[in-house]
Amino acid sequence: MIRIEDISKTYNSTIKAVDHLNLTVNDGEIVGFIGPNGAGKTTTIKMLTGILKPDSGSVFINDFDIQKEPLKAKMEIGYIADSPDMFLRLKGIEFLNLIADIYKVPVGVRKERIKTFATRFELAEVLDQQMQSYSHGMRQKMMVAAALVHDPAVWILDEPLTGLDPKSAYNLKNMMREHANAGNSVLFSTHVLEVAEKLCDKVIMIHHGKTIFYGTLEELTEKHPDMDLEQIFLEMTAHE
């Protein structure tokens, strides 16, 4: 479960990136996080994962306070950042083993998981190459494997489908649904509203750091009949 209680974040004492945001992602739910560029999505995700400290409010990951018990909270999280360009001098297998070491994944267990990811995302032929030689899409697939190598209960994914080829995107979406069906929680941001429409149990829509909608897609479309999610999104953000 992910629970956000009244978090806010201001930059340079003037820019209110996140403004008293509340959100709960229950076990078994996939929640899509949508909003225009600069709405506060990535800032929120960085506070959820402990990268940034909120000015006020609290974040709980499976009841662990990210500020008071950061290591316990982070052990529960699989996080895909908004950029895959990191640790590029490492070979793919070195990077995956580094992340597995951090999360104390036993050698035998990690080998099986890495094998599974390598098959699912067609990584086997590049694992012994430095990641700086990878394409953007290949780096993104490596970030997916690294985020999930410790089998985390909570997935927090910032634009996880960006750069993925159709087959890999399809596989990741299936994994997200399988993970939620197993009783776990998934929060992911996306600009591809069609994905949110098809995959999510609920959506949270933010603009200027504030929630302008949180609930099921059925609830959203009831308020805006005869409109698809893209049309609703454009209408709501135009009036904010």
Side-chain angles (χ1 to χ4, degrees):
M1 176 186 284
I2 301 167
R3 193 168 82 252
I4 299 173
E5 296 181 352
D6 203 34
I7 60 170
S8 295
K9 184 68 178 180
T10 301
Y11 294 117
N12 300 323
S13 302
T14 56
I15 302 170
K16 196 82 169 182
V18 177
D19 191 359
H20 298 286
L21 199 67
N22 291 278
L23 171 66
T24 299
V25 182
N26 293 307
D27 294 339
E29 283 186 342
I30 299 176
V31 174
F33 199 15
I34 58 178
N37 290 336
K41 301 186 300 298
T42 293
T43 295
T44 300
I45 285 174
K46 287 182 176 179
M47 289 190 286
L48 279 175
T49 53
I51 296 170
L52 291 177
K53 183 178 180 180
D55 298 333
S56 60
S58 301
V59 172
F60 297 90
I61 306 294
N62 283 347
D63 295 325
F64 295 118
D65 187 316
I66 195 73
Q67 296 299 320
K68 295 178 181 177
E69 299 181 281
L71 292 181
K72 290 181 179 179
K74 290 175 183 180
M75 288 295 290
E76 300 290 312
I77 296 171
Y79 169 53
I80 298 176
D82 58 340
S83 171
D85 298 328
M86 58 187 75
F87 298 100
L88 297 184
R89 291 188 180 275
L90 293 181
K91 295 177 181 179
I93 192 64
E94 291 173 337
F95 175 58
L96 293 178
N97 277 313
L98 171 64
I99 301 302
D101 285 341
I102 290 170
Y103 286 99
K104 300 181 173 61
V105 181
V107 172
V109 174
R110 77 177 64 172
K111 283 183 176 180
E112 285 302 312
R113 289 180 185 160
I114 290 171
K115 182 179 178 181
T116 297
F117 291 131
T119 300
R120 204 158 193 175
F121 293 106
E122 299 178 332
L123 293 170
E125 293 184 2
V126 300
L127 287 178
D128 287 326
Q129 300 174 18
Q130 284 186 320
M131 293 196 297
Q132 63 187 358
S133 69
Y134 291 6
S135 67
H136 178 88
M138 195 64 72
R139 292 175 189 177
Q140 185 70 7
K141 289 192 282 187
M142 192 62 67
M143 293 304 113
V144 173
L148 307 182
V149 72
H150 63 296
D151 193 26
V154 173
W155 292 9
I156 300 174
L157 317 177
D158 197 356
E159 297 288 344
L161 303 174
T162 300
L164 293 184
D165 58 83
K167 181 180 178 181
S168 297
Y170 176 80
N171 283 334
L172 180 55
K173 286 184 284 186
N174 281 345
M175 290 169 66
M176 292 164 68
R177 176 45 62 192
E178 291 165 5
H179 192 65
N181 288 345
N184 301 299
S185 50
V186 178
L187 175 70
F188 78 103
S189 69
T190 182
H191 287 297
V192 185
L193 300 181
E194 183 182 0
V195 172
E197 205 162 16
K198 291 180 178 179
L199 189 60
C200 296
D201 302 301
K202 295 178 182 176
V203 295
I204 178 169
M205 190 181 300
I206 71 170
H207 195 33
H208 299 309
K210 295 182 178 180
T211 303
I212 56 176
F213 177 79
Y214 175 55
T216 66
L217 290 168
E218 289 78 11
E219 292 168 339
L220 184 60
T221 53
E222 282 177 7
K223 294 179 180 180
H224 302 269
D226 304 319
M227 297 173 69
D228 61 23
L229 183 57
E230 183 174 8
Q231 293 170 320
I232 294 169
F233 173 76
L234 293 172
E235 166 114 349
M236 293 182 72
T237 53
H239 293 151
E240 285 291 316

